[in-house]
Amino acid sequence: MTQIIVLPHADLCPEGAVLDVEPGITICDALLEHDIEIEHACEKSCACTTCHVIVREGFSSLNEAEEAEEDLLDKAWGLTSVSRLSCQAVVAETDLTVELPKYTINHAREHH
C-alpha cells in the first residue's frame, strides 16, 4: 500500500487526510474513493484542469506527464513545477504528499 497525505483544504478536506491506496490508481480516483470530492469536470478524460493538484512530496515517482496534460496544466490556477492533473497521475509505491489548490478555473462548477 502507498500512503497519500492530503494537506488540509478549507472546503474539500478541512482536516487533511492520510489515504492508504494500491499502486496503479490515479490520485483523482484515490481521492474520490476516500470521499474527497475533488472536481473533475471532464470526467477524468484529460480535457480540463479542475483536478489539478500539487505533489509536494513523491512527485518523481509518478508516471511521466504526456503532452496533452502538460498543455492543459499551462492553464491551471496556481501552477507549480510539481503540478499534475490528478486524473492522469498514477500512484507508484512511493508515498505522496498532495496539496489541493485553493481555486480551479471551472466556470460551470457542479456540486456532487
Side-chain angles (χ1 to χ4, degrees):
M1 295 290 256
T2 301
Q3 274 194 344
I4 300 177
I5 298 168
V6 182
L7 299 177
H9 181 279
D11 298 323
L12 301 176
C13 190
E15 304 296 319
V18 177
L19 317 178
D20 289 317
V21 303
E22 291 290 335
I25 191 172
T26 65
I27 293 174
C28 185
D29 284 336
L31 295 172
L32 293 171
E33 285 182 8
H34 288 86
D35 299 320
I36 300 172
E37 294 296 325
I38 189 168
E39 290 188 58
H40 52 287
C42 71
E43 295 301 321
K44 304 180 273 186
S45 65
C46 194
C48 72
T49 64
T50 61
C51 72
H52 168 230
V53 296
I54 301 165
V55 183
R56 295 292 180 193
E57 292 183 22
F59 180 84
S60 63
S61 71
L62 299 171
N63 60 311
E64 190 171 326
E66 294 186 12
E67 186 175 346
E69 179 184 358
E70 290 178 353
D71 289 345
L72 283 168
L73 278 169
D74 288 339
K75 301 172 187 175
W77 184 91
L79 181 67
T80 74
S81 63
V82 289
S83 288
R84 288 295 303 266
L85 297 182
S86 65
C87 70
Q88 301 300 301
V90 179
V91 175
E93 295 184 7
T94 300
D95 294 344
L96 304 172
T97 299
V98 173
E99 178 181 349
L100 307 174
K102 185 174 183 178
Y103 301 108
T104 72
I105 60 169
N106 187 2
H107 299 291
R109 184 175 185 172
E110 296 178 19
H111 296 287
H112 297 285

